[in-house]
């Protein structure tokens, strides 16, 4: 299947850089910027230095005008870099939202008066549709709004939403009834009951989410901001404290000059956690964007971060852990029949069976027992599988071939006149079932020939993923409708930590509640309407886009690819967002050590020449030292933008090892890097001054 | 360090570590309402007290009620102590006929003792009567220590309990802390001190003839007590010969024991634990250091036991012990190195100025780091006379926020605030919503932790800055320049962190320091206390998240190291500029030979 998932646009693409710069300048408006208090304080600081610079032009300042001017320039750049990183992160989303908007332009709908095909309708604009309206959508028309198919079935192209070009079937009843506004019906006609008012549709929500317009700060982000604001306030006081202390020291020693306002402001901005504060908004936006690149729409940032905390993953067996289709792997004859005879009967019984299981039986018989691919005999009568008989097969050439559940086939054979059922049958059937496979008994008329071993094939590499999850402290629970015996065998093969067999919707809900009671964060995936209650209860609920409307409404994350293993990617992005924040916070604060060593000796040198020994970097002059620190503080922001947007690399390690690793990289690195950086900048600055 | 000093140091820490576990577990039993060895004796007294005061021992309080009880109770205590100090001349047990305190000194002293600071802008033997010392000050040594312990216990309950709003009953916790803990230990310790020669009596001060009369010059005063100046403005002095000396006496041992045990630090005499009547022998010296560290150290164990994982307590104790030992090593190294300027004058060896020879250099260093790492503030040496780097050690220990063992109770809960911040940042770094002891750390917890950790620092920064631009405050400084600045910094650090020791050299009994100091002590005591109770209230209501592989263990070495780093970084970033204008430049100047 061809995919044209949203193509990743490089952030250095001029189509993104240009508008981002304009947007960054707009964001300098203090009425917007105060939402980021740390950067807001830097803007005030920049404004103060600007005023000081203007005043110093007329010689009213202790510092030379060029120095104050340069400090002011770089402080303004610091603020600008911050707003630019945010608008850069938003840029990609904006470009995508614009393309989504195009698919929503002025659609008309046929509003039906009654629920019947061919009934009378009025043509209305999409914006006039309200919840509960019925619309008729015919081949070639675009569906005007979100809704449920209540009559008919149609082939729908959902590329506009999912990027998936292969059309999907949408039909009334069952788990495939939901349609999304903006998608196109390719064949047949359906009647849709609208479920969302204009402006509240999936596409609308998606656009606003991608644009970041509705982005609210997550609880975690708020807690981090508390820390950053407090640090900023303390550093403000630290700088305010230096002034009187230096005034006193000048009086006491009778030499030097008190620290000037320009230097104090410069020190304040250098110490304030500007690096993390500048990149904080970009980190969250970029996280959602990364998920979108994986075709996952998170309906809130909170949901992604909660995914990072998940302790328990509930996974549907089918499609996630196993391939979903069972495959025939062996024929086991009974009652003295040959394997060959059994294979032939099995082949015959499955000739018209179009289910994946049936086809796998045909394939096995053809490949391993050398039968030629036969065309279906003309006189064949297909006996389709039904829930009542629980068997299927064909009648041809006067013989009746059947396969099915053990009890049903035995009953069938008895009816056909079978006297004694082979004694070993029960034992073989039990053995296959115990191994997690499905035994299908094959009969030809009154003879029971043997058993087909239908195996649930566990996806390759799934064990490693579960191992990874386990090493991160996440428990996986498999949910299946199978009997406990089969479930246990598959659980053991896939190496999940636990399983829930013969699961009914209320069992899933109870399982989630129990885990939450015990303090765990639970994630689950689902697509059916009967999953909706459990999805609503789960902390992280991923709905498949192919799922029903109730399931999609109950979820807080929607997977456009409908691939249940996506949950693992979501967990990863959730963790990445938090880690990037934590790492950059540590980096930002560790930077202050070097900045102190640059600025403190520089600003107090005239009072106490002894403090020159603290100038461990041997920076050229006090002015070049302070300027270098300010410049480093500014340029580190754009340098770290790629890291903020891509997120710190994720490693599935136990918590303690991960902490040590990140502390070495971002803590120790954060202490060392500015020493090197400031020294390098000073060499350049000193040469230019 | 000589062999005796090594032995002294090792013995002290071995004894301390041996006592932490039994005492910690004992406290856990006491505050969880379980029976202890002392119950048969004390339970009837306890019940009688509840009956008299009308306290329902089973009625628990949420954090608001608990905090209100703490604050109102302490307010009443300030007012009553203020009254005693102002009415001292009318009250009994005043053989020296001492006059009342001035109102601002009384306010400062009342606040000081109720907040467990025991900053002394007065001189005990010259200004406080026996009644004041016993009923006024010693009482508060017990009550203020018990208040701190009660708050710590309530905070521990916040971490330990699940899905409740209740943190315990303040009156019960307070009563138990005094009855089962402070009184018995103080009683025993006072007897040990008396055995060493610490005095305990109510007799008037003794006047004895000097073996050798002393002649000295004394400023001449006019009739109104104002110094007489000559034509050039210089004070006129007159020569006096002293034939006899007045020796202050009093009920010292009873105050001395609780002064150390409750990390109060307010000495009976102005010379505090350097005075031979307070601290006569090397043994009494070691006992006093042990008492200072005992309860704060043991509370970490109580914490571990009450939250159900003793290792959590050991991790905190490890961090405290590490910081204490490093401080001790730096101080000892700086003092052993001595002063090169004095060495140039032909006086070689360690810096012994301001130290008592009977305690040895290491003994003095141990006392100094113990008394400043905890919020005790008793002194056995003049901190002002330490080398600049050596003096920076006690100053830094105070500025870190009194968490290196810290004040009884307050040391633990302030350390827990640091742990919450450390957990928060490290939690983010491993990609999880941070959790400590199974409780999620969110915005409320962060606010409260930050208030707890930073309020004292903010007070120090603001008040030391205002002192530097207030002429009246500058006039109080006896030493100009960097050393004077260190003294002011030390004074506000000491008050805001409820330590109470002084760098001396600063006349603190002036309106500026008395009033702003009272403010600093109040903010430094009650802002963290209320904030931590609020945090406990929020935590107690949360559900417990069981640990998994993805949870950062907070009882292992990596986290302990990270916590240590966070403490040092917060401290260094807040105070590096101020310190560089004080002790750092002073040390550089001394090393530079000027």
């Amino acid at each position: 299947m061809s995919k044209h998932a949203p193509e990743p646009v490089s952030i250095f693409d001029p189509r993104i850089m240009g508008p981002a710069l304009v947007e960054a300048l707009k964001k300098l408006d203090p009425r917007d910027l105060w939402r980021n208090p740390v950067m807001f304080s830097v803007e005030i600081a920049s404004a103060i230095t600007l005023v000081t610079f203007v005043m110093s032009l007329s010689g009213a300042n202790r510092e030379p005008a060029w120095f104050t001017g340069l400090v002011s320039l770089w402080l303004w750049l610091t603020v600008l870099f911050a707003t630019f990183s945010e608008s850069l992160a938003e840029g990609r989303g904006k470009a995508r939202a614009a393309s989504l908007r195009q698919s929503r332009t002025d659609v008309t709908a046929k509003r039906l008066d009654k629920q019947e095909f061919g009934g009378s309708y009025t043509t209305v604009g999409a914006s006039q549709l309200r919840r509960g309206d019925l619309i008729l959508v015919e081949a070639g028309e675009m569906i005007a709004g979100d809704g449920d198919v209540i009559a008919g079935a149609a082939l729908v192209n959902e590329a506009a939403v999912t990027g998936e070009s292969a059309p999907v079937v949408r039909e009334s009843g069952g788990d495939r009834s939901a349609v999304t506004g903006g998608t196109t019906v390719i064949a047949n006609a359906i009647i849709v009951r609208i479920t969302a008012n204009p402006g509240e549709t999936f596409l609308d929500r998606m656009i606003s989410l991608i644009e970041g317009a509705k982005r609210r700060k997550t609880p975690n982000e708020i807690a981090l901001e508390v820390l950053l604001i407090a640090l900023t306030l303390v550093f403000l006081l630290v700088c305010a404290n230096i002034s009187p202390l230096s005034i006193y020291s000048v009086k006491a020693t009778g030499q030097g000059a008190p620290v000037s306002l320009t230097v104090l402001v410069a020190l304040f901005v250098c110490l304030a956690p500007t690096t993390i504060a500048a990149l904080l908004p970009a980190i969250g936006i970029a996280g959602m964007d990364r998920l979108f690149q994986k075709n996952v729409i998170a309906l809130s940032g909170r949901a992604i971060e909660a995914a990072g905390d998940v302790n328990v993953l509930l996974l549907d067996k089918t499609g996630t852990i196993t391939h979903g289709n069972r495959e025939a792997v062996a024929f086991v004859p009974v009652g003295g029949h040959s394997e060959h005879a059994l294979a032939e009967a099995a082949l015959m019984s499955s000739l018209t069976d179009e289910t994946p299981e049936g086809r796998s039986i045909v394939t096995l018989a053809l490949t391993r027992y050398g039968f030629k691919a036969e065309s279906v005999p003309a006189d064949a009568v297909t006996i389709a599988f039904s829930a009542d008989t629980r068997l299927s097969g064909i009648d041809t050439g006067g013989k009746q071939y059947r396969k099915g559940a053990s009890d049903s086939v035995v009953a069938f054979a008895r009816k056909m006149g079978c006297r004694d059922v082979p004694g070993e049958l029960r034992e073989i059937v039990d053995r296959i079932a115990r191994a997690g496979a499905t035994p299908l008994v094959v009969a030809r008329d009154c003879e029971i020939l043997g058993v087909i071993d239908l195996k649930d094939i566990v996806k390759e590499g799934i064990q490693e993923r579960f191992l990874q999850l386990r090493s991160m402290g996440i428990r996986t629970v498999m949910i299946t409708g199978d009997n406990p015996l089969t479930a246990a065998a598959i659980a053991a093969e896939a190496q999940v930590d636990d399983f829930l067999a013969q699961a009914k919707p209320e069992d899933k809900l109870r399982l989630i509640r129990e885990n939450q009671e015990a303090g765990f964060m639970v994630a689950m995936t689902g697509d059916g309407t009967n999953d909706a209650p459990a999805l609503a209860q789960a902390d992280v609920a991923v709905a498949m886009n192919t799922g029903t409307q109730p399931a999609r409404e109950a979820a807080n994350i929607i997977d456009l690819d409908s691939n249940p293993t996506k949950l693992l990617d979501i967990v990863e992005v959730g963790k990445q967002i938090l880690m990037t924040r934590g790492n950059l916070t540590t980096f930002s604060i560790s930077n202050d050590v070097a900045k102190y060593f640059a600025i403190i000796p520089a600003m107090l040198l005239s009072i106490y020449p002894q403090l020159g020994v603290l100038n461990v970097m041997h920076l050229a002059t006090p002015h070049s030292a302070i300027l270098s620190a300010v410049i480093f503080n500014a340029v580190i922001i754009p340098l770290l933008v790629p890291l903020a947007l891509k997120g710190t690399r994720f490693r599935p390690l136990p918590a303690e090892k991960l902490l040590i690793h990140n502390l070495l990289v971002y803590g120790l690195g954060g202490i060392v890097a500015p020493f090197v950086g400031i020294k390098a900048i000073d060499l350049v600055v000193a040469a230019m001054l | 360090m000589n062999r005796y000093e090594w032995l002294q140091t090792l013995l002290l820490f071995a004894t301390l570590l041996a006592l932490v576990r039994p005492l910690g577990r004992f406290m856990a039993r006491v505050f969880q309402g379980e029976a202890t060895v002392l119950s048969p004796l004390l339970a009837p007294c306890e019940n009688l007290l509840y009956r008299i005061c009308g306290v329902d021992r089973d009625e628990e309080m949420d954090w608001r009620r608990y905090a209100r009880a703490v604050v109102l109770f302490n307010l009443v205590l300030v007012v009553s102590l203020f009254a005693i100090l102002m009415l001292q001349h009318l009250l009994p047990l005043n053989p020296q006929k001492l006059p009342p305190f001035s109102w601002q000194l009384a306010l400062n002293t009342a606040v000081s003792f109720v907040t467990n600071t025991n900053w002394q802008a007065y001189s005990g033997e010259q200004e406080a009567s026996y009644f004041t010392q016993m009923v006024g000050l010693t009482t508060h040594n017990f009550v203020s220590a018990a208040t701190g312990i009660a708050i710590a216990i309530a905070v521990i309950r916040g971490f330990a309990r699940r899905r409740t709003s209740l943190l315990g009953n303040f009156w019960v916790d307070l009563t138990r802390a005094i009855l089962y803990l402070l009184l018995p230990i103080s009683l025993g310790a006072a007897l040990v001190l008396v055995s060493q020669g610490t005095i305990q009596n109510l007799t008037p001060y003794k006047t004895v003839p000097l073996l050798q009369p002393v002649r000295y010059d004394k400023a001449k005063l006019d009739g109104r007590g104002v110094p007489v100046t000559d034509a050039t403005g210089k004070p006129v002095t007159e020569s006096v010969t002293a034939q006899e000396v007045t020796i202050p006496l009093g009920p010292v041992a009873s105050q001395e024991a609780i002064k150390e045990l409750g990390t109060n630090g307010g000495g009976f005499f102005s010379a505090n634990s350097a005075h031979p009547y307070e601290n006569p022998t090397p043994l009494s010296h070691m006992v006093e250091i042990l008492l200072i560290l005992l309860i704060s150290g043991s509370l970490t164990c109580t914490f571990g036991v009450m939250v159900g994982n003793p290792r959590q307590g050991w991790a905190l104790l490890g961090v405290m012990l590490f910081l204490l030992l490093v401080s001790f090593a730096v101080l000892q190294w700086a003092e052993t190195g001595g002063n090169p300027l004095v060495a140039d004058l032909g006086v070689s060896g360690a810096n012994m100025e301001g130290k008592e020879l009977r305690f040895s250099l290491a003994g003095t260093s141990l006392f100094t780091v113990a008394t400043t790492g905890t919020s005790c503030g008793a002194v056995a040496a003049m901190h002002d006379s330490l080398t600049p780097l050596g003096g920076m050690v006690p100053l830094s220990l105070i500025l870190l926020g009194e968490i290196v063992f810290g004040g009884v109770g307050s040391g633990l809960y302030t350390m827990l605030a640091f742990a919450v911040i450390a957990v928060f940042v490290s939690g983010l770094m491993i990609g999880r919503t941070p959790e400590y002891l199974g409780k999620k750390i969110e915005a409320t917890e962060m606010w409260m932790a930050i208030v707890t950790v930073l309020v004292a620092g903010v007070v120090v920064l603001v008040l030391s800055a205002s002192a530097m631009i207030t002429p009246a405050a500058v006039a109080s400084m006896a030493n100009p320049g960097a050393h004077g600045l260190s003294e002011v910094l030390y004074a506000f650090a000491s008050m805001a962190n409820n330590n109470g020791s002084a760098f001396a050299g600063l006349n603190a009994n002036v309106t500026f320091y008395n009033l702003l100091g009272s403010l600093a002590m109040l903010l430094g005591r009650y802002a963290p206390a209320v904030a931590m109770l609020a945090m406990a209230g929020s935590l107690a209501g949360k559900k417990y998240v069981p640990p998994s592989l993805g949870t950062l263990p907070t009882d292992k070495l990596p986290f302990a190291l990270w916590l240590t780093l966070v403490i040092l970084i917060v401290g260094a970033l807040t105070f590096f500029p101020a310190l560089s204008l004080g002790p750092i430049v002073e040390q550089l100047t001394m090393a530079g030979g000027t």
Side-chain angles (χ1 to χ4, degrees), chain A residues 513-570:
Chain A
R513 287 222 176 104
E514 279 168 8
N515 273 297
Q516 287 174 333
E517 258 333 282
F520 294 113
M521 293 280 273
V522 184
M524 82 163 272
T525 57
D527 51 6
T529 302
N530 60 15
D531 286 332
L535 282 172
Q537 179 72 32
D539 300 290
V540 178
V542 185
M544 304 294 114
N545 192 46
T546 52
T548 58
Q549 199 63 33
R552 293 201 321 195
E553 267 167 21
N556 46 23
I557 294 180
I558 291 175
D559 175 16
L560 299 179
D561 288 347
S562 306
N563 169 6
T565 38
K566 278 289 178 60
L567 206 41
L568 309 183
D569 293 325
I570 299 170

Side-chain angles (χ1 to χ4, degrees), chain A residues 220 241 248 309 518 596 610 662, chain B residues 429 433 461 477 546 573 589:
Chain A
N220 208 279
N241 170 273
Y248 167 79
D309 289 342
Y596 264 142
Q610 303 93 309
N662 285 340
Chain B
M429 288 178 80
T433 300
L461 287 174
M477 295 159 65
L573 291 184
T589 310

Side-chain angles (χ1 to χ4, degrees), chain A residues 338-421:
Chain A
S338 73
E339 220 175 297
H340 197 270
L342 168 62
E344 187 183 9
L347 173 64
M348 290 307 289
S349 71
S350 307
L351 271 182
T352 55
D353 186 350
E354 286 304 317
T355 63
E357 287 86 0
R359 280 199 298 267
S360 81
I361 294 171
V362 173
T363 311
L364 183 71
L366 294 184
T367 51
R368 198 176 306 164
Y369 298 93
F371 295 107
K372 297 257 159 55
E374 281 179 61
S375 57
V376 182
D379 63 339
V381 178
T382 303
I383 309 298
F385 179 85
S386 85
D388 297 334
T389 59
R390 295 172 68 213
L391 41 73
S392 66
I394 58 173
D395 296 346
T396 179
K399 290 191 187 304
Q400 299 188 10
Y401 298 93
R402 292 291 183 275
K403 67 171 193 292
S406 176
D407 305 347
S408 319
V409 176
V410 169
F412 167 80
R414 285 235 165 86
K415 208 175 74 189
M416 295 296 290
C418 170
R419 293 283 133 80
D420 48 356
V421 175

Side-chain angles (χ1 to χ4, degrees), chain B residues 514-580:
Chain B
N514 274 336
L515 296 189
L516 286 185
S518 304
L519 182 69
M521 290 186 280
L522 289 171
L523 283 172
R525 176 72 165 179
Y526 299 107
V530 173
M532 285 310 286
L533 284 172
M535 185 200 281
S538 164
L539 287 171
K542 295 191 181 202
K543 60 183 180 188
Y544 173 79
V545 183
S548 71
L549 266 180
T551 317
L552 181 73
T554 49
D555 55 355
K556 298 225 177 89
L557 190 62
F559 179 76
L561 286 176
W562 169 239
L563 175 58
T564 312
L565 256 174
V566 168
I567 291 167
L568 292 176
I569 287 179
V570 169
L573 291 184
T574 316
F575 295 109
F576 187 67
L579 290 176
S580 64

